[in-house]
Amino acid sequence: MRIAILGTGVVGKALGQAFITLGHEVKMGSRDAKNEKALAWAKEMGPRASAGTFADAAAFGEIVLLATLGAANESALTSAGAANLRGKILIDTTNPLDTTGGGPPKLAVAGNDSGGERVQRLMPEALVVKAFNTVGAPHMFRPDFAGGPPDMFICGNDPGARKKVASLLADFGWGVVDVGGIESSRYLEPMCIAWVLAGIHGGNWNQAFKLLRK
Amino acid sequence: MRIAILGTGVVGKALGQAFITLGHEVKMGSRDAKNEKALAWAKEMGPRASAGTFADAAAFGEIVLLATLGAANESALTSAGAANLRGKILIDTTNPLDTTGGGPPKLAVAGNDSGGERVQRLMPEALVVKAFNTVGAPHMFRPDFAGGPPDMFICGNDPGARKKVASLLADFGWGVVDVGGIESSRYLEPMCIAWVLAGIHGGNWNQAFKLLRK
């Protein structure tokens, strides 16, 4: 499949490499078609990787992953273009982090709204699915934990899109916990902060959620 | 130890029975000293169980568990009395659920506040620790899951109180994930809703969080 990654940070690179490893084609999008990080990444990843603008990537991808900093979501998506995202699965991996306080991050959007809902409102014709927001980049692909696989919590309004993302997550080595519509981002984004606080207080970032079931 | 349980619902009964099983003395508190549910429970549980008003229970307990409906927290705590809670560990098991919408519950308090913080503000001299709010009553004691034990996420401002609650949780059969001060209730209460939504969408309520670590 053709995969677009919007964003050139550690999450974008980790997910891009994962899709390349699984045999997909990946275009990494950024503000500038000549973004050095994106070009260097594509060169390193080989012939199935490429780089371009947000719009180039979104046009290319059959599935698009939003992996910008949460605060940059709106401008990245606007640059990507609604027409390039229409009818496509848009995986929102971001969290609306407020890191201005000096202490641990808080949520800049919470309560009766969420980052995931904002993405969906901004791109109403995209099939937004929240995923990859409750674990750190090093463990997004083939997570290796005793007692695993861990579970990725996902939500999104389109059941078919959730099912497709669940299938991709299985390819990545994850179990999946489906918590319904995109409004449930209100509960998954706080789980990111719980994960961060557990890392801070436990002194260990090699951690991932699982929902034990019987 | 002497344990107070404020509340006569399924959570109060489950936790009360757990403490009795572990050899503690438990007084179940409710609005009315002659509450039939509390008296019947105490009779069933035997000589180490008793019942009384919220104030009776709070005065009795060395550790107090708040197990009312979230909406009743304020009146129950006010009835229990600040003097009876002063300097004591107050385990807040509740969630500020809004069930008025007809669909799945939402949070009545969220964003820049939380139920746990409200409890702490209401009883500033109590050592409030949030716990037991991310799992259902049937699995609070000796949770039995393949791949277990599951982890209870806890928070509270007093490190010593968190440590004591972690020790109690170990007696109950739980691992513990400490996420810091009571403000972190902002992230643990949404996890309750994620748990509920996972139950709804997965059709299975026999589920408990674990944080896989390596």
Side-chain angles (χ1 to χ4, degrees):
Chain A
M1 278 201 331
R2 294 190 310 277
I3 305 290
I5 306 276
L6 308 183
T8 61
V10 288
V11 171
K13 285 180 186 170
L15 293 174
Q17 182 166 8
F19 281 106
I20 293 279
T21 303
L22 290 172
H24 301 289
E25 292 178 79
V26 176
K27 190 181 285 287
M28 179 176 278
S30 58
R31 201 166 310 280
D32 176 1
K34 298 209 170 75
N35 181 296
E36 286 182 17
K37 278 167 74 180
L39 289 169
W41 177 84
K43 189 173 174 190
E44 185 190 340
M45 289 296 117
R48 278 183 284 106
S50 59
T53 63
F54 286 129
D56 292 338
F60 170 87
E62 295 164 273
I63 291 181
V64 181
L65 286 96
L66 179 64
T68 44
L69 289 175
N73 282 355
E74 185 169 344
S75 73
L77 288 171
T78 304
S79 300
N84 290 327
L85 296 169
R86 184 170 297 139
K88 293 182 183 175
I89 292 175
L90 175 60
I91 300 178
D92 175 20
T93 75
T94 69
N95 287 294
L97 300 182
D98 172 3
T99 56
T100 58
K106 298 186 177 190
L107 291 173
V109 183
N112 293 318
D113 199 6
S114 61
E117 287 165 279
R118 287 192 173 193
V119 168
Q120 183 65 80
R121 285 199 302 273
L122 200 63
M123 291 293 156
E125 293 181 283
L127 310 176
V128 178
V129 178
K130 192 98 197 171
F132 294 109
N133 79 302
T134 54
V135 73
H139 299 293
M140 287 181 173
F141 186 55
R142 295 179 178 163
D144 177 25
F145 292 90
D151 289 317
M152 191 70 79
F153 288 69
I154 70 168
C155 66
N157 291 340
D158 187 87
R162 295 206 303 271
K163 207 165 171 182
K164 177 68 188 169
V165 172
S167 162
L168 286 175
L169 282 163
D171 295 343
F172 272 56
W174 284 85
V176 170
V177 176
D178 181 339
V179 295
I182 195 66
E183 184 181 304
S184 299
S185 299
R186 296 176 190 184
Y187 315 114
L188 302 193
E189 291 165 8
M191 283 180 68
C192 161
I193 309 288
W195 183 94
V196 168
L197 293 169
I200 291 172
H201 290 276
N204 180 0
W205 299 90
N206 295 308
Q207 48 177 19
F209 288 107
K210 187 174 180 68
L211 190 67
L212 303 179
R213 285 175 279 201
K214 66 175 184 182
Chain B
M1 275 199 332
R2 294 190 311 278
I3 305 291
I5 306 276
L6 309 183
T8 61
V10 287
V11 171
K13 285 179 184 170
L15 293 174
Q17 181 167 8
F19 281 107
I20 294 279
T21 303
L22 290 171
H24 301 289
E25 292 178 79
V26 176
K27 190 181 285 289
M28 180 177 278
S30 58
R31 202 167 309 280
D32 176 1
K34 296 206 171 75
N35 180 295
E36 287 182 14
K37 278 166 73 180
L39 290 169
W41 177 85
K43 191 174 173 189
E44 185 190 341
M45 289 295 117
R48 278 182 285 107
S50 59
T53 63
F54 286 130
D56 292 338
F60 170 87
E62 297 165 273
I63 290 182
V64 180
L65 286 96
L66 180 63
T68 43
L69 289 174
N73 282 355
E74 185 167 347
S75 74
L77 288 170
T78 304
S79 300
N84 290 327
L85 295 169
R86 184 171 297 138
K88 293 183 182 174
I89 292 175
L90 175 59
I91 301 178
D92 175 20
T93 74
T94 70
N95 287 294
L97 300 182
D98 172 2
T99 55
T100 59
K106 299 186 176 191
L107 290 173
V109 183
N112 293 318
D113 198 6
S114 61
E117 288 166 278
R118 288 193 174 193
V119 168
Q120 183 65 81
R121 285 200 301 273
L122 199 64
M123 292 293 158
E125 294 182 283
L127 310 175
V128 178
V129 177
K130 192 97 198 173
F132 293 109
N133 78 302
T134 54
V135 72
H139 299 293
M140 287 181 173
F141 186 54
R142 295 179 179 164
D144 177 25
F145 291 89
D151 289 317
M152 191 70 79
F153 287 69
I154 70 169
C155 65
N157 290 339
D158 188 88
R162 294 206 304 269
K163 205 165 172 181
K164 177 68 188 169
V165 172
S167 162
L168 286 175
L169 282 163
D171 295 342
F172 271 57
W174 284 84
V176 170
V177 176
D178 181 339
V179 295
I182 194 67
E183 184 181 304
S184 299
S185 299
R186 295 176 191 184
Y187 315 114
L188 302 192
E189 291 165 6
M191 284 180 67
C192 161
I193 309 288
W195 184 92
V196 168
L197 293 169
I200 290 172
H201 290 275
N204 180 0
W205 298 89
N206 295 309
Q207 48 177 19
F209 288 108
K210 186 174 181 71
L211 191 66
L212 302 180
R213 285 177 279 202
K214 66 175 183 183

